[in-house]
Amino acid sequence: MLTIFGEIAEFECEYILQRQGEGIAVAKQNVKYIGRKKIETDENMFRDVYASWKYGEIIARAALSRLGLGKNTFYRRVKEYEACLKG
């Protein structure tokens, strides 16, 4: 009996995700779904903090607090910045 309830719950979760994906696809076609807004940072301040972090003057935690960013956002910005430097 528990196995049947588990399978029904799993099927319902898959169905919800499928409907959600379809709804997002329709919203994107109608340009109503644009995603989350990008967190704005001062570019000059980011460059200064990045340089300090890269040269080992500060640790990543200090850089995060100075910029007010989360860990994932900081490292994503670092990756984008370094890609701009190379290209």
Side-chain angles (χ1 to χ4, degrees):
M1 193 72 164
L2 290 174
T3 305
I4 294 172
F5 285 140
E7 289 178 10
I8 291 172
E10 185 177 339
F11 173 74
E12 184 62 27
C13 285
E14 290 174 5
Y15 186 62
I16 288 170
L17 290 175
Q18 179 184 1
R19 287 185 298 180
Q20 180 184 17
E22 291 170 357
I24 289 173
V26 169
K28 282 183 178 180
Q29 286 177 345
N30 296 334
V31 192
K32 292 185 179 180
Y33 183 85
I34 55 173
R36 189 174 183 173
K37 291 183 179 179
K38 191 172 184 178
I39 297 172
E40 297 295 325
T41 55
D42 181 22
E43 289 300 318
N44 293 328
M45 184 175 178
F46 179 79
R47 283 189 217 126
D48 295 341
V49 172
Y50 170 80
S52 297
W53 171 73
K54 197 68 172 176
Y55 292 121
E57 297 170 1
I58 60 173
I59 61 174
R61 192 173 296 163
L64 297 175
S65 65
R66 286 187 189 175
L67 294 171
L69 298 175
K71 184 171 69 169
N72 290 335
T73 305
F74 174 72
Y75 286 112
R76 186 178 321 110
R77 294 284 166 82
V78 166
K79 187 176 179 181
E80 292 170 358
Y81 183 69
E82 289 175 347
C84 287
L85 292 177
K86 290 179 183 177

